[in-house]
Amino acid sequence: MSEKNQGTASAAAMKNPISHTQIQELVITAMFIALTYVFTAFVNIRLPIAANGGLIHLGNVPLFIGAILFGKKTGAICGGVGMGLFDLLSGWTSWAPFTFIIVAFMGFSVGAITEKHKGFGWNVLAIAVACVIKVVGYYIAEVILYGNWLAPVTSIPGNLVQIGVAAVIVLAVIGRLQKLIKW
């Protein structure tokens, strides 16, 4: 880079330095991406049902916690990237675009609801909305991938169990975490 371009880049950086808050948001979001990936990849049970076998995992736990504590942006990014990355790295590559969109929308929705409304009931509602998004989204994804309107029905129980287990865990700990994180 020429001296003139370096000076221009430095001047631009000085005018727009990265704030402490932006760094904090970046680190928190990256941490929740990693947690979502790890809990999806390593804390799971493969099911011998459904068209592609199915998977019940705990990746929704950090997804929901991140969205409730830090909002819709963190929820959307950690969900879409964390679980989309799992699909890319685990051999379920054809699912990755669907997962990115569906789970990002789940995280965004949970965060959007809980940013505006606080309390146990709102957390329950937010997770219920995410459940509907997951069931409908993955049903549509399976219809597109397999070209069959009936086969995706077999995935619904696994999706419900997955969200139900995550809901129980998240709802049991989120109140305490919200008290700890007030800054």
Side-chain angles (χ1 to χ4, degrees):
M1 192 185 305
S2 72
E3 285 183 36
K4 180 179 178 186
N5 288 342
Q6 272 184 327
T8 306
S10 296
M14 295 302 268
K15 288 181 187 176
N16 238 348
I18 297 174
S19 72
H20 176 73
T21 303
Q22 289 171 315
I23 293 170
Q24 195 173 32
E25 287 175 6
L26 178 67
V27 169
I28 287 168
T29 301
M31 181 183 72
F32 276 98
I33 289 169
L35 287 170
T36 300
Y37 171 77
V38 167
F39 275 61
T40 304
F42 301 111
V43 187
N44 65 53
I45 300 169
R46 293 194 185 265
L47 300 174
I49 60 170
N52 201 20
L55 184 73
I56 293 180
H57 58 77
L58 292 183
N60 292 299
V61 172
L63 163 63
F64 294 155
I65 290 172
I68 291 169
L69 293 178
F70 301 105
K72 61 187 174 227
K73 183 176 173 185
T74 295
I77 295 169
C78 80
V81 175
M83 287 194 205
L85 190 60
F86 166 77
D87 284 353
L88 287 173
L89 298 176
S90 67
W92 299 31
T93 311
S94 61
W95 287 91
F98 298 104
T99 294
F100 181 82
I101 292 166
I102 295 164
V103 183
F105 189 44
M106 287 169 55
F108 181 88
S109 299
V110 170
I113 292 168
T114 59
E115 275 179 355
K116 294 180 181 176
H117 308 286
K118 303 295 180 200
F120 183 81
W122 289 104
N123 294 340
V124 171
L125 175 64
I127 292 171
V129 167
C131 184
V132 171
I133 293 167
K134 182 177 195 76
V135 168
V136 171
Y138 279 107
Y139 179 88
I140 292 168
E142 284 192 53
V143 167
I144 292 168
L145 288 172
Y146 301 127
N148 184 318
W149 288 93
L150 189 55
V153 172
T154 62
S155 296
I156 294 172
N159 288 334
L160 294 174
V161 168
Q162 189 177 105
I163 297 295
V165 169
V168 168
I169 294 168
V170 170
L171 295 171
V173 301
I174 198 67
R176 292 178 192 96
L177 290 173
Q178 286 173 315
K179 289 177 186 172
L180 288 172
I181 302 254
K182 293 201 179 192
W183 46 55

